[in-house]
Amino acid sequence: MLEDKWQIIPFSLIPQWFLTIVKSYTPNSDGKHVAQILWKRGIKNKDELIAFIDPDVYHPTSPFAFGEEMKWAVKRLKKAYNNQEKVTIWGDFDADGITSTSVLWEGLGQFFPPHLQLDYYIPNRITESHGLNRQGIEKLAASGTRLVVTCDTGSTNLTEIDYANELGIDMIITDHHALPDTRPPVIAMINPRCLSTNHPLFNLSGVAVAYKLVEAFYQKLPDVPKEPLEQLLDLVAIGLIADLVELKGDCRYLAQKGIQHLQKQRQLSTRPGVAKLLELCKKNGDRPTDISYGIGPRINAISRIYGDATFGVELLTSRDIKLCHELALKTELANARRKEIQQRVYKDVKKKLSQIDLSTVGVIVLEDTQWDSGVLGLVAGKIAQEYNRPTILLTVTKTGNEAQAEVIKMVRGSARSVNQIDLYKLVDSQQNLLHRFGGHPFAAGLSLPLKNLTLFKEGINQQFRQKINNINYIQTAVEVDLIVTVVDLGQDLFRELKLLEPCGIGNSTPKLLLKNCWFDNIWNKNIEDTKRNKIQYIKTVFEIHDFSTKRGFPGVWWEHYKDELPFSKPQDAIVELYFNSYSKRYEVRLIAIRDYITDIEIDQNTNNDNCLLDWRNKEFLGKVTTKIKVLQECPKSWDELLKIYHQTQQKKLKLALAYNSPKYINSLQVWRQLLGIAKYYSRTQDLINIGQMRMKLELSDYTLKLGLATLYKLGFYCKIIDDKLKFVWNNKIANNAEKKVSQFLEVVEEEQFQHRYFSEISLECIQEKISTSNIKR
C-alpha cells in the first residue's frame, strides 16, 4: 500500500470585506477558520460567497434550461394526462435510483392516480442488474403501459429502447450517466451530460434530474397538483448526497434546501419511514453526514442483501407508520449484514493483493466465485482509495439454460476510480470484450464473459499505461485545511465549519491537522445490530491529547484496531470534527496519522528549498511561504547563488541539530511547547496570558524572558499588552539563532535540575520531620 502525501495548504491573508461577510453568518465566532477554507477553495467573489453560504440568496436554474428535450418531455406527459394513459416509472435499485423513483412517484402522482394510471418498476440487483431489460419491458407492455419515464438509468440501453418502441411504448429518459455516441430514438433525453461542464445543472444526480422534470410539469399544469413541489426536496437531498456527486451550483442549492425540509418532515412526522431510519442510525437529520453515513448506506443495503429494492419506495413514501417501521427494521438488518459481508470481501481482496506485484499494475482487476456482488462497489471504492489505483472487482456467475447446454460463465461487478482518472473511458476502450456496461467517470458497473477476462485485464492496463506514463505516480494527497490544537476542538469550531455544508466531491469535509499529539483511553469493539448480534465491523475509540490543554478530546477510528495507534512517540493526526448525536457530544473522526514532524524537518524535506523566484513577480510573491528563499537582488554569478543557497541550508541544519540534540532531551519538550505557542498565536493573532503561559511551561520569569528572546531570534516579535503577549512573525531568522536556542535549552535543563533537586531535598526534610515526630511520640 502506498503512503498518502499530506498537503498543508498555506495560510492566506483574507480581505476584511470577506471576513465581515463570513462573520455575519457565524455570530458565535470571528469566522476566521472557515473564511480561510472558503478563500483557499477559490470562493473570492462577494456574490458567489453569499450564494454559497445562503441558499435563500441563490437563484436556482429553470428546468427548461434543458432546452427542447424538457419541452418534449412535458408535452408527452401532458398528452398522457389528457388521454389517461398508463405511465410507468423505471427506476434503479441504489439510493439515487430509489429516491428518484420516489420523487417521480409522488410528483407525477399529483397528475396520474397511483397504481391505476401510474406504476413503477425497479430491476432486481441480483437477477437483472442496472438499466433497462427486455423481460421487464415485456411485462410493462403486457400491463398496458404506453409511456415509460426512466430515472437514474437508460441513457445507453439502445437495444432495449428499440425493443420498447417495437412494443408501442414511448420512452422519456431522465438520467445523469454517460451518454451514447448517438441520441437514441426516445421522446426526450433529459441528461445534464448534454450541458457544458460549467453549467449549474451539469452535476445533477438522477434524483435531481427527476425533480427538474416534475418541476417543469408543475409549471406547465400549475392548477392540478394538490401538494407543494417543495415537499419532495428532502428526498432530493437524500439521493444527491448519497450518490456522491459534486455539490456545486443547483446541486448544492437543492441539497441545502433538502436538508432543511428533512428537518421539517422529521418534526412533523410526515415521512415515518425516514424518521424511523434516522432513529435507528442515531441521527438527527440536520447534517449531510446523517445521509452519507446514515440513511444513504441503509437504502443502498436493501438491494445489496435482498436483491429486490421495491419496498424502498414504500419506505420513503408511505404514510403508514406501522408498515414504515417494519420496513425500516428490515432495512437496518440488511445494513448490518452488508457491513459484515463487506468486511469479509475486503479481507479477501487484501489477501489477493498481497500476492501481486503492484508496480506492474495500473488498474486493479480481481475476480472470485464467492464474492457477493452487492458489496463489490463499496469494497472497490475503498481499495481504490487505499492503493491509489482504479479498481474493478468481479464475481463469477452463470447465464443461459443448463438443460439446453447453453450456460455461459460470466463475470460481473463494479468499478471505482481515484485521482480524477476517467474510469468510464478506460472500461469503454475494451467495449468489444464486454457484455453490458454503464456508469460515469468515477464509478461503473460491467459484465463480460469469463473467457474474455484475461484479455480485458491486459487491455485496460495497456490503455492505462498509454494515458499515464508512470504507474507509481499516483499518490493520494490528503489536503489539510487547518492546523488546530485540541483546545480549539468543540462546539464553536464545529458551528463555524458547518457553514461549508453540505460537503462532498469538490467541497470536502474540512481536514484538521493536530501536531505533536498522542492518544489515551484506547479501546475497540465490534458494532452490534438491532438484535444485539455482534458484526465483524470494528471501530476504535480514544482520547486525543496535545500540550494546548490538559483535557483530551474523544474520537473514533473506523475499521482499525487499537494496536494500530502508536503509544511510544508523538504523532501528527488528520481528523474531521463532527457531532455524535447518540452520545450527545462533539468528537473527531481519525483520517490519518504519522510520526510527529517538526516544522524544521518539514522545511528540510520540502521541495520548495530548490525554488528560485523572480522578485518582480508581484502576483506570485503574495504566495511565498517561509520555506522559500526569496532573493531581492539578482546574484552576479552562479557561484554567488550557490553560496547563498548553501548558507541557507547550513543555517537550517544547525537549527535542526540544536533543536533535536539528545543533550537537551529534558528541556526539548519545553522548547517544542514554547515554539508551538508562538506559531499558533502568531497565526491566529490571539493574545495569551503571560502568567498562564509561565505556569503551563513551568518556567521562572527569567527563563521565560530568555525563551521569548530566543523566539525573537527565530523571527517571532513579542509585544506585551497589559498582562498578555501578542506574537507576530516577521520572517527574519538571526545568524546566531542556533546559539540562542542552545543557550535556552541549557538554562531550562539547569532550572529543571534545580527544581528536581530541591524538591527531593524538601521531601527528605518533610520525611525527616515526620520520622522525628513519631520518635517523640
Tab-separated table of all heavy atoms in Angstrom, residues 363 377 380-386 388-392 414-424 426 440-444 464 473-474:
chain	number	residue	atom	x	y	z
A	363	VAL	N	-4.367	-0.648	-13.236
A	363	VAL	CA	-5.765	-0.833	-12.857
A	363	VAL	C	-5.888	-2.195	-12.176
A	363	VAL	O	-5.536	-3.222	-12.760
A	363	VAL	CB	-6.700	-0.777	-14.084
A	363	VAL	CG1	-8.150	-0.965	-13.651
A	363	VAL	CG2	-6.532	0.544	-14.823
A	377	GLY	N	-18.971	-2.779	-5.159
A	377	GLY	CA	-18.729	-1.348	-5.389
A	377	GLY	C	-18.135	-0.675	-4.168
A	377	GLY	O	-17.209	0.142	-4.273
A	380	ALA	N	-14.539	-1.970	-3.768
A	380	ALA	CA	-13.710	-1.406	-4.842
A	380	ALA	C	-13.356	0.049	-4.547
A	380	ALA	O	-12.226	0.484	-4.775
A	380	ALA	CB	-14.430	-1.514	-6.184
A	381	GLY	N	-14.332	0.807	-4.023
A	381	GLY	CA	-14.067	2.203	-3.677
A	381	GLY	C	-13.012	2.332	-2.595
A	381	GLY	O	-12.127	3.194	-2.658
A	382	LYS	N	-13.102	1.453	-1.605
A	382	LYS	CA	-12.135	1.503	-0.503
A	382	LYS	C	-10.736	1.092	-0.974
A	382	LYS	O	-9.737	1.721	-0.610
A	382	LYS	CB	-12.608	0.586	0.618
A	382	LYS	CG	-11.760	0.678	1.874
A	382	LYS	CD	-12.351	-0.151	2.991
A	382	LYS	CE	-11.481	-0.048	4.237
A	382	LYS	NZ	-11.985	-0.901	5.334
A	383	ILE	N	-10.663	0.049	-1.785
A	383	ILE	CA	-9.367	-0.410	-2.302
A	383	ILE	C	-8.756	0.652	-3.218
A	383	ILE	O	-7.545	0.916	-3.175
A	383	ILE	CB	-9.538	-1.744	-3.051
A	383	ILE	CG1	-9.931	-2.864	-2.071
A	383	ILE	CG2	-8.256	-2.123	-3.785
A	383	ILE	CD1	-8.900	-3.193	-1.022
A	384	ALA	N	-9.581	1.275	-4.049
A	384	ALA	CA	-9.079	2.322	-4.951
A	384	ALA	C	-8.434	3.456	-4.157
A	384	ALA	O	-7.359	3.952	-4.522
A	384	ALA	CB	-10.220	2.855	-5.819
A	385	GLN	N	-9.079	3.867	-3.065
A	385	GLN	CA	-8.523	4.932	-2.234
A	385	GLN	C	-7.256	4.477	-1.522
A	385	GLN	O	-6.280	5.224	-1.410
A	385	GLN	CB	-9.565	5.372	-1.191
A	385	GLN	CG	-10.756	6.110	-1.770
A	385	GLN	CD	-10.387	7.451	-2.364
A	385	GLN	OE1	-9.483	8.121	-1.880
A	385	GLN	NE2	-11.078	7.846	-3.411
A	386	GLU	N	-7.273	3.252	-1.052
A	386	GLU	CA	-6.152	2.750	-0.257
A	386	GLU	C	-4.908	2.500	-1.097
A	386	GLU	O	-3.788	2.753	-0.663
A	386	GLU	CB	-6.590	1.453	0.438
A	386	GLU	CG	-5.677	1.004	1.551
A	386	GLU	CD	-6.276	-0.140	2.348
A	386	GLU	OE1	-7.517	-0.262	2.403
A	386	GLU	OE2	-5.496	-0.918	2.909
A	388	ASN	N	-4.594	3.676	-4.326
A	388	ASN	CA	-4.418	4.774	-5.273
A	388	ASN	C	-4.430	4.315	-6.731
A	388	ASN	O	-3.658	4.804	-7.552
A	388	ASN	CB	-3.123	5.532	-4.969
A	388	ASN	CG	-3.056	5.970	-3.532
A	388	ASN	OD1	-3.973	6.614	-3.031
A	388	ASN	ND2	-1.996	5.603	-2.847
A	389	ARG	N	-5.300	3.372	-7.028
A	389	ARG	CA	-5.445	2.865	-8.383
A	389	ARG	C	-6.921	2.604	-8.675
A	389	ARG	O	-7.649	2.159	-7.787
A	389	ARG	CB	-4.675	1.555	-8.556
A	389	ARG	CG	-3.165	1.736	-8.701
A	389	ARG	CD	-2.460	0.435	-8.376
A	389	ARG	NE	-1.059	0.475	-8.761
A	389	ARG	CZ	-0.122	1.160	-8.117
A	389	ARG	NH1	-0.449	1.855	-7.048
A	389	ARG	NH2	1.140	1.153	-8.532
A	390	PRO	N	-7.356	2.831	-9.923
A	390	PRO	CA	-8.709	2.396	-10.285
A	390	PRO	C	-8.855	0.911	-9.992
A	390	PRO	O	-7.929	0.128	-10.245
A	390	PRO	CB	-8.782	2.689	-11.791
A	390	PRO	CG	-7.740	3.735	-12.030
A	390	PRO	CD	-6.648	3.467	-11.051
A	391	THR	N	-10.003	0.514	-9.476
A	391	THR	CA	-10.186	-0.870	-9.025
A	391	THR	C	-11.484	-1.443	-9.584
A	391	THR	O	-12.532	-0.796	-9.521
A	391	THR	CB	-10.202	-0.932	-7.491
A	391	THR	OG1	-8.951	-0.450	-6.987
A	391	THR	CG2	-10.412	-2.358	-6.998
A	392	ILE	N	-11.392	-2.669	-10.114
A	392	ILE	CA	-12.549	-3.382	-10.640
A	392	ILE	C	-12.623	-4.737	-9.942
A	392	ILE	O	-11.670	-5.525	-10.006
A	392	ILE	CB	-12.446	-3.581	-12.166
A	392	ILE	CG1	-12.316	-2.217	-12.872
A	392	ILE	CG2	-13.653	-4.341	-12.702
A	392	ILE	CD1	-12.017	-2.326	-14.362
A	414	SER	N	-18.325	-4.301	-10.113
A	414	SER	CA	-18.297	-2.838	-10.027
A	414	SER	C	-16.878	-2.304	-10.150
A	414	SER	O	-15.907	-2.989	-9.806
A	414	SER	CB	-18.893	-2.382	-8.688
A	414	SER	OG	-20.242	-2.788	-8.579
A	415	ALA	N	-16.792	-1.074	-10.631
A	415	ALA	CA	-15.509	-0.400	-10.814
A	415	ALA	C	-15.562	0.968	-10.137
A	415	ALA	O	-16.585	1.643	-10.181
A	415	ALA	CB	-15.196	-0.243	-12.302
A	416	ARG	N	-14.463	1.355	-9.504
A	416	ARG	CA	-14.366	2.667	-8.870
A	416	ARG	C	-13.026	3.304	-9.216
A	416	ARG	O	-12.010	2.616	-9.305
A	416	ARG	CB	-14.485	2.557	-7.342
A	416	ARG	CG	-15.832	2.041	-6.847
A	416	ARG	CD	-16.946	3.034	-7.124
A	416	ARG	NE	-18.221	2.592	-6.579
A	416	ARG	CZ	-19.117	1.863	-7.248
A	416	ARG	NH1	-18.858	1.483	-8.490
A	416	ARG	NH2	-20.259	1.516	-6.680
A	417	SER	N	-13.042	4.624	-9.391
A	417	SER	CA	-11.826	5.331	-9.793
A	417	SER	C	-11.257	6.159	-8.650
A	417	SER	O	-11.832	6.227	-7.551
A	417	SER	CB	-12.107	6.223	-10.995
A	417	SER	OG	-10.901	6.695	-11.552
A	418	VAL	N	-10.143	6.815	-8.938
A	418	VAL	CA	-9.445	7.626	-7.953
A	418	VAL	C	-8.644	8.684	-8.699
A	418	VAL	O	-8.313	8.526	-9.878
A	418	VAL	CB	-8.523	6.727	-7.088
A	418	VAL	CG1	-7.346	6.213	-7.897
A	418	VAL	CG2	-8.042	7.441	-5.835
A	419	ASN	N	-8.371	9.802	-8.028
A	419	ASN	CA	-7.470	10.830	-8.575
A	419	ASN	C	-7.879	11.364	-9.956
A	419	ASN	O	-7.051	11.561	-10.825
A	419	ASN	CB	-6.032	10.310	-8.649
A	419	ASN	CG	-5.432	10.109	-7.286
A	419	ASN	OD1	-5.926	10.648	-6.291
A	419	ASN	ND2	-4.383	9.317	-7.203
A	420	GLN	N	-9.187	11.579	-10.134
A	420	GLN	CA	-9.699	12.198	-11.350
A	420	GLN	C	-9.430	11.384	-12.618
A	420	GLN	O	-9.505	11.910	-13.740
A	420	GLN	CB	-9.112	13.617	-11.532
A	420	GLN	CG	-9.341	14.541	-10.357
A	420	GLN	CD	-10.818	14.787	-10.089
A	420	GLN	OE1	-11.568	15.051	-11.008
A	420	GLN	NE2	-11.228	14.688	-8.836
A	421	ILE	N	-9.106	10.107	-12.492
A	421	ILE	CA	-8.915	9.250	-13.667
A	421	ILE	C	-10.283	8.852	-14.213
A	421	ILE	O	-11.128	8.352	-13.475
A	421	ILE	CB	-8.095	7.997	-13.303
A	421	ILE	CG1	-6.684	8.408	-12.849
A	421	ILE	CG2	-8.008	7.036	-14.482
A	421	ILE	CD1	-5.873	7.280	-12.278
A	422	ASP	N	-10.500	9.065	-15.504
A	422	ASP	CA	-11.797	8.777	-16.126
A	422	ASP	C	-11.928	7.273	-16.346
A	422	ASP	O	-11.474	6.718	-17.359
A	422	ASP	CB	-11.937	9.522	-17.449
A	422	ASP	CG	-13.371	9.505	-17.974
A	422	ASP	OD1	-14.080	8.514	-17.711
A	422	ASP	OD2	-13.777	10.470	-18.646
A	423	LEU	N	-12.541	6.613	-15.383
A	423	LEU	CA	-12.702	5.168	-15.432
A	423	LEU	C	-13.634	4.737	-16.566
A	423	LEU	O	-13.438	3.690	-17.186
A	423	LEU	CB	-13.234	4.673	-14.079
A	423	LEU	CG	-13.460	3.181	-13.923
A	423	LEU	CD1	-12.141	2.434	-14.016
A	423	LEU	CD2	-14.114	2.879	-12.589
A	424	TYR	N	-14.640	5.545	-16.816
A	424	TYR	CA	-15.608	5.199	-17.870
A	424	TYR	C	-14.892	5.032	-19.215
A	424	TYR	O	-15.133	4.068	-19.945
A	424	TYR	CB	-16.694	6.268	-17.965
A	424	TYR	CG	-17.805	5.905	-18.923
A	424	TYR	CD1	-18.924	5.215	-18.480
A	424	TYR	CD2	-17.730	6.248	-20.271
A	424	TYR	CE1	-19.949	4.860	-19.358
A	424	TYR	CE2	-18.743	5.900	-21.157
A	424	TYR	CZ	-19.848	5.215	-20.688
A	424	TYR	OH	-20.846	4.864	-21.559
A	426	LEU	N	-11.745	4.349	-19.700
A	426	LEU	CA	-10.850	3.183	-19.644
A	426	LEU	C	-11.622	1.892	-19.942
A	426	LEU	O	-11.195	1.066	-20.750
A	426	LEU	CB	-10.187	3.086	-18.271
A	426	LEU	CG	-8.999	4.013	-17.991
A	426	LEU	CD1	-8.556	3.886	-16.544
A	426	LEU	CD2	-7.830	3.681	-18.919
A	440	HIS	N	-20.288	6.338	-14.974
A	440	HIS	CA	-19.733	7.671	-15.207
A	440	HIS	C	-18.242	7.647	-14.867
A	440	HIS	O	-17.705	6.586	-14.512
A	440	HIS	CB	-20.505	8.730	-14.404
A	440	HIS	CG	-20.681	8.411	-12.953
A	440	HIS	ND1	-19.672	8.526	-12.024
A	440	HIS	CD2	-21.773	7.993	-12.267
A	440	HIS	CE1	-20.120	8.204	-10.833
A	440	HIS	NE2	-21.387	7.869	-10.945
A	441	PRO	N	-17.515	8.767	-14.948
A	441	PRO	CA	-16.053	8.726	-14.824
A	441	PRO	C	-15.514	8.123	-13.526
A	441	PRO	O	-14.381	7.620	-13.506
A	441	PRO	CB	-15.655	10.206	-14.941
A	441	PRO	CG	-16.716	10.805	-15.781
A	441	PRO	CD	-17.981	10.106	-15.390
A	442	PHE	N	-16.292	8.145	-12.442
A	442	PHE	CA	-15.754	7.681	-11.165
A	442	PHE	C	-16.306	6.337	-10.715
A	442	PHE	O	-15.768	5.718	-9.800
A	442	PHE	CB	-16.017	8.725	-10.078
A	442	PHE	CG	-15.468	10.073	-10.420
A	442	PHE	CD1	-16.303	11.147	-10.673
A	442	PHE	CD2	-14.104	10.273	-10.524
A	442	PHE	CE1	-15.797	12.382	-11.008
A	442	PHE	CE2	-13.584	11.506	-10.856
A	442	PHE	CZ	-14.429	12.569	-11.105
A	443	ALA	N	-17.392	5.873	-11.329
A	443	ALA	CA	-17.988	4.601	-10.922
A	443	ALA	C	-18.694	3.968	-12.108
A	443	ALA	O	-19.279	4.671	-12.938
A	443	ALA	CB	-18.972	4.821	-9.773
A	444	ALA	N	-18.639	2.649	-12.167
A	444	ALA	CA	-19.270	1.955	-13.283
A	444	ALA	C	-19.639	0.537	-12.872
A	444	ALA	O	-19.084	-0.015	-11.923
A	444	ALA	CB	-18.331	1.925	-14.492
A	464	PHE	N	-4.360	2.136	-19.794
A	464	PHE	CA	-3.964	2.987	-18.674
A	464	PHE	C	-2.531	3.499	-18.861
A	464	PHE	O	-2.249	4.670	-18.650
A	464	PHE	CB	-4.078	2.200	-17.364
A	464	PHE	CG	-3.660	2.964	-16.143
A	464	PHE	CD1	-4.562	3.770	-15.459
A	464	PHE	CD2	-2.360	2.897	-15.663
A	464	PHE	CE1	-4.179	4.480	-14.341
A	464	PHE	CE2	-1.973	3.608	-14.537
A	464	PHE	CZ	-2.891	4.395	-13.876
A	473	TYR	N	3.048	7.000	-10.219
A	473	TYR	CA	2.861	8.435	-9.993
A	473	TYR	C	1.739	8.692	-8.998
A	473	TYR	O	1.682	9.726	-8.357
A	473	TYR	CB	2.490	9.138	-11.313
A	473	TYR	CG	1.008	9.258	-11.505
A	473	TYR	CD1	0.344	10.456	-11.270
A	473	TYR	CD2	0.239	8.148	-11.850
A	473	TYR	CE1	-1.029	10.544	-11.405
A	473	TYR	CE2	-1.116	8.247	-11.984
A	473	TYR	CZ	-1.754	9.435	-11.765
A	473	TYR	OH	-3.104	9.514	-11.882
A	474	ILE	N	0.823	7.748	-8.900
A	474	ILE	CA	-0.416	8.007	-8.173
A	474	ILE	C	-0.154	7.977	-6.678
A	474	ILE	O	0.120	6.936	-6.118
A	474	ILE	CB	-1.503	6.967	-8.511
A	474	ILE	CG1	-1.577	6.731	-10.005
A	474	ILE	CG2	-2.833	7.386	-7.956
A	474	ILE	CD1	-2.478	5.583	-10.386
